[in-house]
Amino acid sequence: MSSAGDDLPAISPAYSLRTTLSGHKHAISSVKFSPDGSLLASASADKTLRLYSLSDPEIPFRAELTGHSEGISDLSFSSDGRLLCSASDDRTIRIWDLETSTLLKTLTGHTNLAFCCVFNPQSNMIASGAFDETVRVWDVKSGKCLRVLPAHSDPVTAVDFNRDGSLIVSSSYDGLCRIWDSSTGHCMKTLIDDESPPVSYVKFSPNGKFVLAATLDSTLRLWNFSTGKFLKTYTGHVNSKFCIPATFSVTNGKYIISGSEDNCVYLWELQTRKIVQKLEGHTGTVITVSCHPTENMIASGALGNDKTVKIWVQKDEESKED
Amino acid sequence: MNVPIIDPLQGDFPEVIEEFLQHGNMKCIAFNRRGTLLAAGCVDGSCVIWDFETRGVAKELRDKDCVAPITSVCWSKFGHHILASATDKSLTLWSVLSGEKIARVTLQQTTLLARLHPGSCTPSVCLACPLSSAPILVDLNTGSSTVLPVTMSDVGTGTTHPRNKFSDGSPPFTPTAATFNKCGDLIYVGNSKGEILIVDSKNIRVQAIIPIPGGSVIKNIVFSRNGQYLLTNSNDRVIRVYENLLSQKGAANELEEMSNASPVNEFQGIEKLKAVGSKCLILFREFQDAVTKMQWKAPCFSGDGEWVVGASANKGEHKLYIWDRVGHLVKILEGPKEALTDLAWHPVRPLVVSVSVAGLVYIWAKDYTENWSAFAPDFKELEENEEYIEREDEFDLVPDTEKVKESEINEDDEVDIMTVEKDSTFSDSEASQEELCFLPAIPSPDVPEQQDKYPASLSKLEESTHSGSPFSVEAGQNGQAHPASSPLEVVANSAAEDAAVNTGVKRKRKPSAKGLELEAEKGRKPPLSKLIKSMGKPSKAKVKLENAQDANDSVLDDAVTDEYI
């Protein structure tokens, strides 16, 4: 099921599989923990979102959100955990109320598949990226599109807000990461390297000073966007086809976590850049990973025949070898 | 003094009107500490709180008792409360989060300017400046008030004998002047003899007097955000900037000590107060318009204290003058032909917000020229042509000096992804967890125009669609009924405009008429077809206004947005 790193410096204790959640009828596209750690949400190509409750160790299924007319690519929780937004192939972003599990608003405006969405920390705005090469900023209260940023020349693969919501970073298949001022919509910076492989994912670090970018040449890079240079490179996984998010794990030591097309979840130590664990168990490409905000828990979702969400935890005892 | 105009490109001040906000008839405005929320007092007695980031209405403070026009609004330090003064002689304290009225006090006179004590999180003491008499300190819990001394000759009686008449003589715009200092332990009072009195806010004793050159009536007295500078606006058409020599914290104690220390102690009475005063404020600059000699209205500092903005008080003019602190006039902003009633500079950004007599709030911002090198980092923007001298081997087929491509970055260096740098703009951000910066955004539910597309909509809205007129877009976001004045044939387009207007924001600078034409040209089919259905029942559309929950016709609005951006 799980294995600690072989000849690599092992993470101690190692992560091992806790539960497998099934129920989606098609490939999973995204999993996220709520900011207070009480809920897990998963989005899928079967046009639904599923909510699981984490307060119960069984992690029971709580609710299903239907309403999209096409598959869903991304989801995001608001900071207070009351709202959820999802981006779908039906070109809309939808806002859901989690207490009643109903659809609140539909944000229309993108002219092609909506691919990624995120709430800002104040949760009064949503940024979304789509295949129409633009990033749109929406007002949560009224649902109006506040800004359309002419972000890229290829589909936008990821958007993220920084810690105080003042900056937006966007990435695209055109090989660029761009940083925008969220209040004015002006471009602040473009991060570009010599070769420009399609950037499949981008995210701000917890303190908002660095940007983690995944590119389709199986590489993850940590950029200091003020200087425009990257500081760390993480390799070893396989990522050349899909937009696989990577994330920071900071609850127990600092790690970078990413899914991979070889069906494993990879964990690197942040500073040394070494792979400390590979979590095996999925039978399809691990398309999404997420870290619990307070506990040492990782959730991952897979494509293809797998269609399950797996929860991995660190055992309290010394690392087990099966 | 004639001042040269410096190059406006260098400055961090606004230049053009970016946008205007409309919601009811707004009269006065105030930013919260961080500039994320803007409170506006309206003619109908309500206060509107705008989310400044999204330029949408975040909350409305309404109460059936408060129906008189608001004369001033003031935030508490951490943004949890708002104090509003109205023409029915009342002061109302509101809780921002709940939208409830906490306290209401009725005074002897209408207050023109009310300020909450800036030192505490839950202030109960406020300073009220009435129309033509001395400022008073009001305790909002008990309703008791203490009159502040305005001259040394009549301490406690609070009567003034104006030597100079007010120039325009129109009462609503002639405030008496007083302000708290940054911590609230001192009150600076500007009287009609042209003197600034520093009064201790605890024991109401005059600690110092600073006479202003010219000795004319002081109309406004305002501190900069960091408390280092003070400006006075006098009837002699001069704005004077003083440097505050007292420290920001513990100023009252400092004054007390200064009074007791020698050589000041050797003076008596007024002389002593003036001696102390000379150690508190130093005249820094004077601003006036030597050419037109105009009276100023609502002067204030920029957030960082580098700029001073004042509005011309001439009838029907909407002109803003911006000076740098040294005294150069850097910009004159001219707005629409509507007189200005209030003015505020954003605490952080180079934005100015002005209120016109028509009840609209105009937002002035920098005119942005796109920074193209942000889009393409390996290009450099040049101001003018530069002669390029190529390298010796630049165009060789195999250049001798290959570009060094190895990164000089040591990838083993430690990277800190967790520590957050403190924001230096706000000096006491240690209590920022308690600060209310944002109101939670509750999405107002959609009106399902295309009900086949949204099967998961709320049942209540489904009922209203069945009754045949889903077009409740005329209703404002908060359920205010606005008459559907435009003919129903073009209701799709004008309703979009109406909805945009009623929900309080006009985002597009281009004239809406053009938008309507383009909309009509494009001929968005689904909403128009709905229109034709509802055309037959205009009365029902109007009745639905009260029941409608939302003005969201996101399809239309975003279609319009598509055209422009």
Side-chain angles (χ1 to χ4, degrees):
Chain A
M1 281 286 241
S2 69
S3 59
D6 316 290
D7 48 337
L8 310 162
I11 182 176
S12 170
Y15 277 90
S16 56
L17 180 65
R18 158 105 171 273
T19 331
T20 302
L21 308 168
S22 46
H24 275 299
K25 303 185 187 52
H26 286 294
I28 313 274
S29 55
S30 184
V31 288
K32 289 260 163 59
F33 284 100
S34 66
D36 60 359
S38 64
L39 287 178
L40 177 73
S42 64
S44 160
D46 67 359
K47 313 179 200 172
T48 66
L49 295 147
R50 287 170 76 85
L51 294 170
Y52 298 87
S53 166
L54 290 166
S55 36
D56 189 326
E58 298 293 305
I59 312 191
F61 163 74
R62 209 185 89 150
E64 185 179 66
L65 304 173
T66 48
H68 275 296
S69 49
E70 298 288 336
I72 305 173
S73 302
D74 198 11
L75 68 98
S76 171
F77 278 93
S78 66
S79 316
D80 53 11
R82 280 177 33 242
L83 303 173
L84 190 81
C85 71
S86 56
S88 159
D89 287 355
D90 64 3
R91 311 178 191 186
T92 64
I93 314 283
R94 292 192 195 223
I95 306 182
W96 311 81
D97 177 64
L98 291 176
E99 273 156 60
T100 56
S101 302
T102 48
L103 171 67
L104 278 182
K105 286 191 100 59
T106 303
L107 312 175
T108 45
H110 276 299
T111 53
N112 208 328
L113 321 180
F115 198 70
C116 45
C117 60
V118 65
F119 272 96
N120 68 342
Q122 296 86 10
S123 296
N124 58 353
M125 296 202 282
I126 291 176
S128 65
F131 270 50
D132 62 3
E133 303 166 8
T134 63
V135 169
R136 280 183 185 244
V137 181
W138 310 83
D139 176 13
V140 169
K141 189 162 184 172
S142 62
K144 293 204 193 326
C145 180
L146 297 173
R147 272 182 218 290
V148 181
L149 309 179
H152 292 280
S153 48
D154 266 323
V156 178
T157 51
V159 277
D160 192 26
F161 278 96
N162 70 340
R163 207 177 148 271
D164 58 8
S166 58
L167 296 176
I168 297 176
V169 64
S170 66
S171 65
S172 161
Y173 281 151
D174 63 3
L176 304 175
C177 293
R178 286 207 164 116
I179 314 252
W180 310 83
D181 179 330
S182 56
S183 46
T184 57
H186 299 142
C187 180
M188 299 278 108
K189 194 124 190 154
T190 302
L191 301 176
I192 189 169
D193 200 15
D194 277 340
E195 304 102 35
S196 45
V199 185
S200 55
Y201 187 73
V202 81
K203 188 185 165 99
F204 273 107
S205 65
N207 64 356
K209 293 214 285 219
F210 305 98
V211 156
L212 182 68
T215 44
L216 290 185
D217 57 353
S218 303
T219 317
L220 284 163
R221 285 201 181 83
L222 190 69
W223 293 79
N224 177 339
F225 65 82
S226 350
T227 60
K229 299 219 174 316
F230 60 89
L231 302 172
K232 301 257 181 214
T233 317
Y234 304 91
T235 51
H237 62 306
V238 181
N239 185 5
S240 56
K241 288 206 287 273
F242 297 104
C243 292
I244 300 180
T247 186
F248 296 90
S249 166
V250 296
T251 44
N252 186 14
K254 305 209 176 5
Y255 303 96
I256 303 274
I257 314 216
S258 171
S260 166
E261 285 152 19
D262 62 2
N263 309 352
C264 298
V265 176
Y266 280 74
L267 285 83
W268 292 262
E269 198 183 320
L270 177 78
Q271 308 293 357
T272 63
R273 298 159 295 143
K274 296 197 178 7
I275 299 175
V276 292
Q277 196 174 1
K278 267 166 59 165
L279 305 176
E280 292 164 17
H282 277 293
T283 55
T285 299
V286 179
I287 192 70
T288 176
V289 286
S290 177
C291 284
H292 193 281
T294 48
E295 291 171 29
N296 303 320
M297 194 188 296
I298 300 175
S300 60
L303 294 180
N305 289 324
D306 189 316
K307 302 183 229 174
T308 59
V309 174
K310 289 192 189 291
I311 311 276
W312 314 81
V313 291
Q314 271 183 323
K315 293 263 188 300
D316 286 328
E317 315 85 83
E318 61 284 353
S319 50
K320 298 204 157 117
E321 292 269 355
D322 285 2
Chain B
M1 48 183 206
N2 233 338
V3 286
I5 297 183
I6 63 172
D7 185 4
L9 293 173
Q10 293 174 22
D12 217 5
F13 48 82
E15 287 152 348
V16 287
I17 291 184
E18 179 180 66
E19 197 171 332
F20 70 89
L21 309 177
Q22 185 176 21
H23 189 92
N25 191 343
M26 297 179 277
K27 282 283 162 245
C28 48
I29 45 172
F31 275 107
N32 69 342
R33 187 161 158 251
R34 299 210 176 235
T36 52
L37 296 171
L38 179 71
C42 301
V43 146
D44 62 358
S46 66
C47 292
V48 182
I49 302 180
W50 295 88
D51 179 335
F52 206 65
E53 303 263 307
T54 62
R55 308 278 161 92
V57 176
K59 208 166 190 90
E60 269 194 71
L61 306 175
R62 281 186 184 280
D63 189 276
K64 54 175 174 34
D65 294 333
C66 309
V67 291
I70 307 278
T71 51
S72 80
V73 277
C74 176
W75 289 87
S76 67
K77 181 166 180 192
F78 292 119
H80 295 278
H81 302 99
I82 284 183
L83 179 72
S85 59
T87 56
D88 61 354
K89 310 181 191 173
S90 66
L91 293 174
T92 314
L93 186 68
W94 300 87
S95 156
V96 173
L97 254 186
S98 64
E100 302 282 307
K101 180 179 72 176
I102 299 179
R104 193 176 152 86
V105 170
T106 309
L107 303 170
Q108 304 277 350
Q109 291 181 347
T110 295
T111 306
L112 286 174
L113 185 72
R115 286 278 172 266
L116 277 171
H117 192 285
S120 58
C121 314
T122 47
S124 57
V125 171
C126 70
L127 180 66
C129 302
L131 171 53
S132 56
S133 58
I136 43 183
L137 267 182
V138 180
D139 185 324
L140 292 163
N141 291 333
T142 61
S144 65
S145 51
T146 322
V147 178
L148 293 175
V150 275
T151 60
M152 276 318 292
S153 52
D154 45 26
V155 171
T157 59
T159 53
T160 58
H161 34 92
R163 220 170 50 185
N164 312 315
K165 291 213 180 48
F166 300 131
S167 62
D168 55 354
S170 50
F173 300 107
T174 334
T176 51
T179 182
F180 280 107
N181 69 344
K182 187 154 183 241
C183 281
D185 48 356
L186 292 174
I187 301 174
Y188 287 65
V189 180
N191 68 9
S192 55
K193 290 202 283 194
E195 293 167 339
I196 303 177
L197 278 71
I198 305 184
V199 180
D200 188 304
S201 49
K202 284 228 166 52
N203 53 30
I204 319 289
R205 260 190 12 217
V206 178
Q207 298 281 42
I209 296 185
I210 300 105
I212 292 190
S216 59
V217 179
I218 297 179
K219 299 196 290 185
N220 303 96
I221 183 166
V222 179
F223 263 100
S224 68
R225 202 169 61 78
N226 55 11
Q228 278 180 340
Y229 294 95
L230 175 80
L231 70 77
T232 60
N233 178 21
S234 311
N235 222 28
D236 62 356
R237 301 146 207 258
V238 177
I239 295 178
R240 293 181 175 84
V241 174
Y242 285 84
E243 201 176 324
N244 181 16
L245 300 171
L246 298 173
S247 56
Q248 303 314 323
K249 286 189 160 53
N253 293 337
E254 206 180 318
L255 253 194
E256 197 65 59
E257 280 165 29
M258 251 200 268
S259 296
N260 297 333
S262 67
V264 169
N265 217 7
E266 294 158 18
F267 295 109
Q268 293 295 327
I270 294 196
E271 286 306 312
K272 177 173 175 179
L273 294 174
K274 287 196 179 165
V276 177
S278 62
K279 294 192 199 276
C280 301
L281 287 180
I282 282 194
L283 178 61
F284 188 65
R285 280 291 179 271
E286 290 185 348
F287 304 134
Q288 60 185 322
D289 189 338
V291 177
T292 59
K293 281 270 177 199
M294 66 175 74
Q295 291 279 357
W296 303 105
K297 193 195 286 197
C300 61
F301 282 97
S302 68
D304 52 6
E306 285 298 314
W307 314 96
V308 175
V309 63
S312 107
N314 291 342
K315 257 190 153 63
E317 253 187 10
H318 196 108
K319 261 181 158 178
L320 306 174
Y321 283 67
I322 302 181
W323 296 270
D324 68 2
R325 224 182 331 117
V326 180
H328 302 127
L329 177 67
V330 297
K331 193 95 182 151
I332 301 177
L333 301 175
E334 205 159 333
K337 290 272 177 272
E338 300 158 359
L340 181 142
T341 53
D342 202 359
L343 184 63
W345 195 302
H346 192 279
V348 185
R349 307 224 294 259
L351 282 176
V352 166
V353 172
S354 65
V355 190
S356 79
V357 80
L360 300 172
V361 169
Y362 292 95
I363 303 176
W364 300 79
K366 278 189 84 61
D367 202 6
Y368 183 76
T369 46
E370 200 73 57
N371 175 17
W372 298 110
S373 39
F375 280 96
D378 36 0
F379 280 84
K380 198 176 76 154
E381 261 182 271
L382 298 174
E383 295 296 313
E384 51 175 25
N385 287 336
E386 270 177 26
E387 180 141 354
Y388 182 69
I389 317 247
E390 69 268 14
R391 277 198 329 271
E392 190 61 47
D393 59 357
E394 180 137 8
F395 298 114
D396 289 355
L397 282 173
V398 181
D400 292 334
T401 53
E402 283 286 333
K403 274 202 289 182
V404 176
K405 255 343 272 174
E406 293 87 54
S407 94
E408 300 105 26
I409 310 236
N410 180 9
E411 287 222 356
D412 289 325
D413 281 344
E414 285 273 316
V415 166
D416 183 3
I417 59 166
M418 293 303 288
T419 352
V420 182
E421 274 171 19
K422 288 230 168 287
D423 184 4
S424 56
T425 337
F426 296 93
S427 57
D428 23 65
S429 27
E430 78 276 317
S432 45
Q433 288 90 11
E434 307 162 11
E435 192 168 344
L436 182 71
C437 291
F438 285 91
L439 290 171
I442 304 150
S444 32
D446 273 349
V447 176
E449 292 136 26
Q450 286 108 13
Q451 58 221 77
D452 42 26
K453 254 195 183 179
Y454 312 140
S457 47
L458 305 169
S459 55
K460 195 164 158 200
L461 293 168
E462 273 171 23
E463 274 172 20
S464 64
T465 24
H466 288 322
S467 56
S469 41
F471 255 87
S472 33
V473 287
E474 291 91 357
Q477 257 187 354
N478 302 301
Q480 292 170 17
H482 290 262
S485 48
S486 32
L488 278 174
E489 299 85 55
V490 286
V491 120
N493 308 317
S494 50
E497 264 330 270
D498 271 347
V501 168
N502 295 346
T503 53
V505 185
K506 265 209 169 88
R507 272 193 184 81
K508 308 156 187 61
R509 286 189 235 181
K510 299 185 185 149
S512 47
K514 194 167 175 191
L516 300 184
E517 287 165 28
L518 280 175
E519 265 295 290
E521 278 169 26
K522 283 275 172 176
R524 308 271 155 182
K525 292 287 162 31
L528 278 177
S529 64
K530 278 283 172 190
L531 258 192
I532 294 166
K533 273 193 221 163
S534 59
M535 255 164 74
K537 307 175 192 178
S539 52
K540 253 215 171 144
K542 287 209 181 129
V543 168
K544 281 288 162 234
L545 296 176
E546 283 83 56
N547 299 333
Q549 287 179 316
D550 179 56
N552 183 24
D553 50 345
S554 50
V555 176
L556 292 174
D557 271 3
D558 287 306
V560 177
T561 317
D562 272 342
E563 302 309 306
Y564 292 124
I565 304 177

